[in-house]
């Protein structure tokens, strides 16, 4: 799934926040916009290449190759 650039949409993030934190719709959308803005910033800085919801419904980040090189221990 390394070629995913964005598969968790604003509406799916808002739905997740609404369910997880019992936010009303307006609050969930406001918070989801903030989350999305931060995800885009992380992608622009080269930290991640994308994000998605996994099979358990958790928002997962796809780290960039350069970040993986920095955090993966040398064998």
């Amino acid at each position: 799934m390394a070629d995913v650039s964005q598969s968790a949409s604003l509406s799916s993030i808002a739905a997740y926040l609404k369910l997880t934190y019992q936010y009303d719709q307006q609050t969930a959308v406001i918070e989801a916009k903030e989350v999305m803005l931060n995800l885009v910033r992380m992608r622009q800085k080269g930290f991640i290449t994308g994000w998605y919801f996994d099979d358990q419904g958790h928002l997962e980040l796809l780290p960039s190759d350069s970040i993986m090189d920095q955090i993966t221990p040398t064998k």
Side-chain angles (χ1 to χ4, degrees), residues 4-71:
V4 172
S5 64
Q6 173 186 342
S7 63
S9 66
L10 181 66
S11 60
S12 64
I13 293 172
Y16 171 81
L17 294 171
K18 190 174 177 182
L19 179 67
T20 303
Y21 298 104
Q22 290 75 47
Y23 288 159
D24 59 50
Q25 184 64 29
Q26 182 179 6
T27 302
V29 169
I30 290 168
E31 292 296 321
K33 286 179 181 178
E34 185 68 26
V35 169
M36 186 70 75
L37 180 63
N38 289 325
L39 291 169
V40 169
R41 285 180 179 156
M42 290 181 0
R43 185 176 60 195
Q44 289 171 338
K45 290 180 180 181
F47 299 142
I48 63 172
T49 59
W51 55 89
Y52 65 97
F53 281 107
D54 68 12
D55 293 338
Q56 290 79 40
H58 302 117
L59 186 61
E60 293 288 331
L61 306 179
L62 294 167
S64 66
D65 290 340
S66 62
I67 293 298
M68 285 304 294
D69 290 343
Q70 292 177 32
I71 63 175

